[in-house]
Amino acid sequence: MTQHNHQTAPTQFVEANGIRFAYRRFGKAAGVPLVFNQHFTGTMDHWDPAVTDGLAKDREVILFNNAGVSSSSGEVPTTIGKMGANAVAFIKALRLTKVDVLGFSIGGFVAQEIALQASALVRRLVLVGTGPRGGEGMATLTPEAQEIFGATYDEPDRLWLRVHFTKSEKSQAAGREFLKRFRLRAEHRDPEVNDKVAPAQIEAISEWGAPREEPFEYLKAIRQPALVVNGGKDVIIYSVNSFILQRHLPDAQLVLYPDANHGSQYQYPKRFVQHVSAFLSEEDAR
Amino acid sequence: MTQHNHQTAPTQFVEANGIRFAYRRFGKAAGVPLVFNQHFTGTMDHWDPAVTDGLAKDREVILFNNAGVSSSSGEVPTTIGKMGANAVAFIKALRLTKVDVLGFSIGGFVAQEIALQASALVRRLVLVGTGPRGGEGMATLTPEAQEIFGATYDEPDRLWLRVHFTKSEKSQAAGREFLKRFRLRAEHRDPEVNDKVAPAQIEAISEWGAPREEPFEYLKAIRQPALVVNGGKDVIIYSVNSFILQRHLPDAQLVLYPDANHGSQYQYPKRFVQHVSAFLSEEDAR
């Protein structure tokens, strides 16, 4: 059997909760698979093959579109809780009983919900460019995010140079390399998301980010080992929120990368793959 | 030639700045050596062989006592700046022209001074359980540090169970393993420091930690790639100071470990050796 990769993995479908979920599955079929949860308005094509293929060397990786996103049917729910429930239904529909879960940005909120709602299903968590419920500057899109997502771009892909990278020359150069990799899959790409996705996701983000009493107490219930990763200069979900996650999760490591914005894992894919691989494959915690 | 390790490396001496510096040098003689700067009242024997021997697999490591400490002659200066100048003189006396520098706690302050005073000498920096000039809670020993260092212990080594580890069962168990390793070197140990060391070091710490205008501006001048490591629950130099270092150094990664106090590298020596080795051996930054 040919082992697929990010470019060649076919889009498959599985049904659960009345939704037809689109997914792709590839890598070394051994051990616990790693399920990826995508960012705001992103599809399976928005992952970086340097990251997905890098991590697929030692484990199976599973990309999917949650309900209502791109090639998956259904509607985007307006709460992260319901997105989490859909993700759990998707994972169970694949008859998996134990997974590692990676979530980026809003996908990191969903990853936390998966761990809260289906604790026994989750072995380890990787939370990238994300934050806790009621985190700092999370009640609405940050002013920087509003400006960046509100602007128009000659080429639409250039949006991601501003979302994921800092303004420094080095970071922007890394961003241009990322955009090339992100277009390497030439055939059978996902359709862009429809117009209903962004408003529903923004509503869910606002509900998740709204200030509340003792906002971080819920993190005590997430007992899985977690690796929290971000750029030190994230203007989309402020980096301090990664620090807050580390402080309040019972068993979390934090890694912050230099001169990096929201998509630090795309600026330093080698470092990121190394850190995540070491975390997912270590046998004991010492 | 036999390759020495933490247990067997003889204490050697070199003279510079009118001081006879005691040092030990072992590991794989290849590439850039790593110079270790020790914490408050510590000697060469206070390093963990799991860390020093772990890092010595791929590079030469150099332990030393700065001026006035244990087997080194001279007086402990009352500023970190002068300690840095002595460290630079020591490194140059070994005829080294490029080193990596690791500093733990007050040793991390000295490491920053080495990079500031002799930039061309330093390739990369590893800053462990430390903070910036004028950091949070750094103007005096923290209340927790005053209590911990002020208490009396049945066995003096037990002090380090409280300085370096949290109160959790798991952390304390890791601490007891550390204490065994730390006594593995049975012969030719360093003498304990004399009574003048603690007061002079405290004076230097207070000068370094005192609040000032724009305290973190100086960090812009430290352009070397840096790896900042700490426990997420450091009560000796609060963990937020590691976050501040990452934010203000031009090219720094941050790693925080879970359920870990000041000596997180002794709680997770395997993780720490892996993170530091990866950082010191990576060829480009991606």
Side-chain angles (χ1 to χ4, degrees):
Chain A
M1 189 181 129
T2 315
Q3 192 175 294
H4 278 295
N5 63 24
H6 188 97
Q7 270 67 262
T8 65
T11 300
Q12 305 179 66
F13 296 91
V14 66
E15 202 151 319
N17 265 7
I19 296 145
R20 191 167 173 258
F21 288 96
Y23 71 98
R24 296 178 195 150
R25 194 168 170 168
F26 53 97
K28 185 175 167 188
V32 179
L34 178 62
V35 178
F36 283 63
N37 292 269
Q38 188 56 287
H39 63 66
F40 180 60
T41 71
T43 71
M44 291 188 281
D45 290 328
H46 288 80
W47 297 109
D48 180 348
V51 165
T52 54
D53 286 337
L55 290 169
K57 275 187 191 138
D58 293 323
R59 65 191 54 74
E60 212 178 2
V61 305
I62 299 175
L63 317 183
F64 80 111
N65 292 319
N66 212 330
V69 174
S70 184
S71 44
S72 287
S73 75
E75 301 278 314
V76 176
T78 55
T79 68
I80 304 294
K82 286 179 190 164
M83 291 177 188
N86 284 333
V88 169
F90 162 72
I91 293 165
K92 289 186 174 172
L94 294 180
R95 298 179 177 276
L96 297 168
T97 54
K98 192 67 86 181
V99 293
D100 291 330
V101 176
L102 182 153
F104 175 27
S105 195
I106 184 175
F109 310 162
V110 176
Q112 292 171 61
E113 280 290 345
I114 297 171
L116 288 166
Q117 294 176 28
S119 179
L121 194 59
V122 181
R123 192 186 66 128
R124 292 181 189 176
L125 274 177
V126 183
L127 301 174
V128 187
T130 193
R133 277 188 205 154
E136 285 194 28
M138 287 176 57
T140 54
L141 294 187
T142 63
E144 296 92 331
Q146 289 178 40
E147 191 274 313
I148 289 169
F149 282 104
T152 50
Y153 299 88
D154 292 346
E155 299 171 38
D157 283 1
R158 289 180 169 266
L159 164 68
W160 305 112
L161 289 179
R162 297 207 50 212
V163 173
H164 293 329
F165 299 87
T166 72
K167 290 178 178 172
S168 81
E169 256 180 61
K170 214 168 153 184
S171 186
Q172 286 294 306
R176 289 189 295 272
E177 292 303 310
F178 162 70
L179 288 188
K180 285 183 211 165
R181 294 194 301 269
F182 146 115
R183 285 285 168 195
L184 277 177
R185 183 180 171 108
E187 298 187 348
H188 307 296
R189 287 179 72 86
D190 263 336
E192 292 294 314
V193 299
N194 67 39
D195 288 351
K196 293 184 193 164
V197 171
Q201 288 185 336
I202 287 175
E203 191 175 335
I205 290 168
S206 302
E207 190 273 331
W208 173 270
R212 62 200 79 197
E213 293 285 312
E214 305 210 48
F216 311 132
E217 275 298 297
Y218 80 97
L219 289 167
K220 287 186 187 162
I222 302 181
R223 306 201 62 83
Q224 285 87 351
L227 177 66
V228 179
V229 180
N230 204 353
K233 295 182 173 176
D234 189 345
V235 298
I236 307 295
I237 299 180
Y238 296 138
S239 309
V240 70
N241 290 303
S242 292
F243 186 65
I244 293 171
L245 282 174
Q246 196 282 329
R247 287 186 84 80
H248 292 271
L249 283 164
D251 185 9
Q253 288 181 70
L254 172 66
V255 175
L256 293 183
Y257 295 120
D259 182 29
N261 189 359
H262 197 49
S264 66
Q265 75 277 24
Y266 303 150
Q267 184 164 341
Y268 302 102
K270 281 187 201 165
R271 278 183 178 172
F272 179 75
V273 167
Q274 191 172 46
H275 284 141
V276 174
S277 295
F279 168 71
L280 292 179
S281 60
E282 73 180 344
E283 296 201 4
D284 68 40
R286 293 210 195 139
Chain B
M1 187 182 132
T2 315
Q3 191 175 294
H4 278 295
N5 63 25
H6 189 97
Q7 270 67 262
T8 66
T11 300
Q12 304 179 67
F13 296 91
V14 68
E15 202 151 319
N17 264 8
I19 296 146
R20 191 169 172 256
F21 288 97
Y23 70 99
R24 298 178 194 151
R25 193 168 171 169
F26 53 97
K28 186 175 168 187
V32 178
L34 178 62
V35 178
F36 284 62
N37 292 269
Q38 188 56 287
H39 62 68
F40 179 61
T41 69
T43 71
M44 290 189 281
D45 290 328
H46 288 79
W47 296 111
D48 180 348
V51 165
T52 54
D53 285 337
L55 289 168
K57 275 187 191 138
D58 294 323
R59 64 191 55 73
E60 211 178 5
V61 305
I62 299 174
L63 317 183
F64 81 110
N65 292 319
N66 212 331
V69 174
S70 182
S71 44
S72 287
S73 76
E75 301 278 315
V76 175
T78 55
T79 67
I80 304 294
K82 286 179 191 163
M83 291 177 188
N86 284 332
V88 169
F90 162 71
I91 294 165
K92 289 186 173 169
L94 294 180
R95 298 179 178 276
L96 296 168
T97 54
K98 193 66 87 180
V99 294
D100 292 330
V101 176
L102 182 152
F104 174 29
S105 194
I106 184 174
F109 310 162
V110 176
Q112 293 170 60
E113 279 291 344
I114 297 171
L116 288 165
Q117 294 177 29
S119 179
L121 193 58
V122 181
R123 192 186 66 129
R124 293 181 189 176
L125 274 177
V126 182
L127 301 173
V128 187
T130 193
R133 276 188 205 154
E136 286 193 26
M138 287 176 57
T140 54
L141 294 188
T142 63
E144 295 92 331
Q146 289 179 38
E147 191 274 313
I148 290 169
F149 282 105
T152 51
Y153 299 87
D154 293 346
E155 298 171 38
D157 282 1
R158 288 179 170 266
L159 164 69
W160 305 111
L161 290 179
R162 297 205 52 211
V163 172
H164 293 329
F165 299 87
T166 72
K167 290 179 178 172
S168 82
E169 257 179 60
K170 213 167 153 184
S171 186
Q172 286 295 307
R176 290 188 296 270
E177 292 303 310
F178 162 70
L179 289 188
K180 285 184 211 164
R181 294 194 301 270
F182 147 113
R183 286 284 168 195
L184 277 177
R185 184 180 171 109
E187 298 186 346
H188 307 295
R189 289 179 70 87
D190 263 336
E192 293 293 315
V193 298
N194 66 39
D195 288 350
K196 293 185 194 163
V197 172
Q201 288 185 337
I202 287 175
E203 190 175 334
I205 290 168
S206 302
E207 190 272 332
W208 173 270
R212 60 201 80 196
E213 292 286 310
E214 306 209 48
F216 312 132
E217 275 299 295
Y218 80 96
L219 290 167
K220 286 185 186 160
I222 302 181
R223 306 201 62 84
Q224 285 87 351
L227 177 66
V228 179
V229 180
N230 204 354
K233 295 181 174 178
D234 188 345
V235 299
I236 306 295
I237 298 180
Y238 296 137
S239 309
V240 69
N241 291 303
S242 292
F243 186 65
I244 293 170
L245 282 173
Q246 196 283 328
R247 289 186 82 81
H248 292 272
L249 283 164
D251 185 8
Q253 289 182 69
L254 172 65
V255 175
L256 294 183
Y257 295 119
D259 182 28
N261 189 359
H262 197 49
S264 65
Q265 74 279 21
Y266 303 151
Q267 183 164 341
Y268 302 101
K270 281 187 200 167
R271 278 184 180 172
F272 179 75
V273 168
Q274 190 173 46
H275 284 142
V276 174
S277 295
F279 168 71
L280 292 179
S281 59
E282 72 180 345
E283 296 201 2
D284 67 40
R286 292 206 197 146

